[in-house]
Amino acid sequence: MKRWPHLVLCSVLASAAEAQTNIEQIIRSENIAGAYASIINFATEPDISAAKLKIDADLPEEDELRIVKFPLRKEFTLDNRQWKPVIQGTLSRLELRSSLPAFAGETIDGTWTSYSATLGGGVRIPLSKHWNILPAVDGGYAYLKSEAEYGPVGEAVLKPILSGKLYDWEAHAWTLSAHLALLYNQTFRKLEIDAHLSGTVSHIQSFHTTSDLQEFEERIGTITIKADATHPLGFSILNCPIFGVAHLGHSSLVSDSEVNLGFRFLNEAGFSLKTDISHYGTPIKSLSLGAMVLWGDHVGGWKILTTYRF
């Protein structure tokens, strides 16, 4: 497994004094563009929520990944039908920051920023009283750009070689994803358990880039298992009952490419306070606010968790 971006970037910088064509050969041979698809996949995957992560890259400074998502999901009930259609979408922004030592005590501070939007739908199919299956598909658009800041020496020596190739470029891409989830819900006395096991296969392909060095076409899979346990806390605020919600989850990323974000899986655990506001007659029936810790191979972080239900 090659961590994104350091092992690849070090190879490029080691040859920075060589001919420009050699730089392009290294970028192609190391399949750096495969990592660009990994960035977009992480941004658009609906089961990996907004977070701030630190990625251990065995360098003085860790990579920092920030992602903000705004998920939209609406489930409909049809007359005389047990099946329930679902419409879902995700708006997201991802930013990956990485500092790589260059020479003369300088660093190259690279930033990769992704903006994406997806929209799709599916249907919840009951299997039994407590089990449902949910197949779904969605498609979307992603915009990815790279920027870099150099020191005085790097500005003069490295920027002319790397600009438009490794840094300072733009890429547009489309995504198509298929999802399949197994859902479980049951209440034991006052304790409600919500869990799901889901798999996603995504095809991510660029269609307009600064140069052919940023072109990519990748298939990436995500396997996720999550469970929430909700229990009433026995008090209300403004006539709204308050619940405590414990969260556990795990996500694994699967890709044909050896180049990735620097980690293959992510665990999460946290706690939220949830309130039922349905008696106000608003479209949103419940709100919750909480926090989670995240950890995995060479990665750790946290996130603020906000959810709502119609």
Side-chain angles (χ1 to χ4, degrees), residues 2 6 9 28 49 57-58 87 110 131 144 156 194 262 279 285:
K2 298 178 181 177
H6 298 99
L9 299 189
R28 290 190 175 95
S49 303
D58 295 329
I87 296 177
W131 294 90
L144 179 64
D194 274 297
H279 67 279
K285 304 304 180 184

Side-chain angles (χ1 to χ4, degrees), residues 23-245:
I23 297 296
E24 296 179 359
Q25 290 172 1
I26 292 172
I27 293 174
R28 290 190 175 95
S29 64
E30 296 288 358
N31 188 29
I32 297 178
Y36 306 153
S38 296
I39 292 174
I40 292 173
N41 178 75
F42 196 82
T44 57
E45 166 57 45
D47 276 330
I48 302 177
S49 303
K52 178 181 178 180
L53 298 171
K54 292 284 189 177
I55 304 171
D56 181 10
D58 295 329
L59 289 171
E61 293 187 25
E62 296 177 316
D63 291 355
E64 182 177 278
L65 190 153
R66 294 173 178 262
I67 182 166
V68 176
K69 294 189 179 182
F70 185 63
L72 302 167
R73 188 175 187 275
K74 176 64 176 177
E75 190 172 283
F76 300 89
T77 300
L78 302 179
D79 294 338
N80 302 318
R81 298 282 185 178
Q82 290 185 317
W83 292 20
K84 294 183 178 181
V86 176
I87 296 177
Q88 59 188 18
T90 304
L91 301 174
S92 62
R93 180 187 185 276
L94 179 149
E95 183 178 272
L96 174 64
R97 293 182 173 271
S98 176
S99 294
L100 182 69
F103 44 73
E106 296 181 0
T107 61
I108 301 176
D109 298 321
T111 303
W112 292 262
T113 307
S114 171
Y115 299 90
S116 58
T118 63
L119 181 64
V123 58
R124 179 196 287 262
I125 305 170
L127 301 177
S128 66
K129 181 178 179 181
H130 303 294
W131 294 90
N132 293 262
I133 191 170
L134 176 59
V137 294
D138 64 50
Y141 162 80
Y143 168 74
L144 179 64
K145 69 176 180 179
S146 166
E147 300 172 294
E149 295 182 0
Y150 302 82
V153 178
E155 185 82 17
V157 177
L158 293 178
K159 185 175 181 179
I161 299 174
L162 301 180
S163 183
K165 302 174 183 65
L166 195 63
Y167 298 109
D168 304 315
W169 49 260
E170 298 180 344
H172 302 263
W174 60 268
T175 69
L176 182 63
S177 300
H179 312 273
L180 182 62
L182 180 64
L183 313 176
Y184 173 78
N185 175 269
Q186 188 167 356
T187 300
F188 302 90
R189 295 188 177 180
K190 294 184 178 181
L191 180 66
E192 181 183 3
I193 303 296
D194 274 297
H196 76 260
L197 171 65
S198 64
T200 298
V201 177
S202 299
H203 182 90
I204 304 170
Q205 183 172 344
S206 60
F207 62 85
H208 179 68
T209 61
T210 299
S211 77
D212 62 351
L213 296 174
Q214 295 91 41
E215 293 178 356
F216 52 84
E217 182 178 357
E218 295 285 329
R219 283 182 294 275
I220 302 176
T222 307
I223 300 172
T224 300
I225 182 169
K226 292 190 177 184
D228 295 338
T230 304
H231 194 277
L233 297 182
F235 65 92
S236 299
I237 297 177
L238 299 177
N239 295 321
C240 299
I242 305 299
F243 302 81
V245 186

Side-chain angles (χ1 to χ4, degrees), residues 1-4 6 53-58 62-64 260-267 294-301:
M1 180 183 72
K2 298 178 181 177
R3 296 182 192 173
W4 166 257
H6 298 99
L53 298 171
K54 292 284 189 177
I55 304 171
D56 181 10
D58 295 329
E62 296 177 316
D63 291 355
E64 182 177 278
N260 52 68
L261 289 172
F263 57 93
R264 290 289 195 186
F265 67 87
L266 193 64
N267 302 307
L294 309 170
W295 72 97
D297 55 333
H298 309 292
V299 65

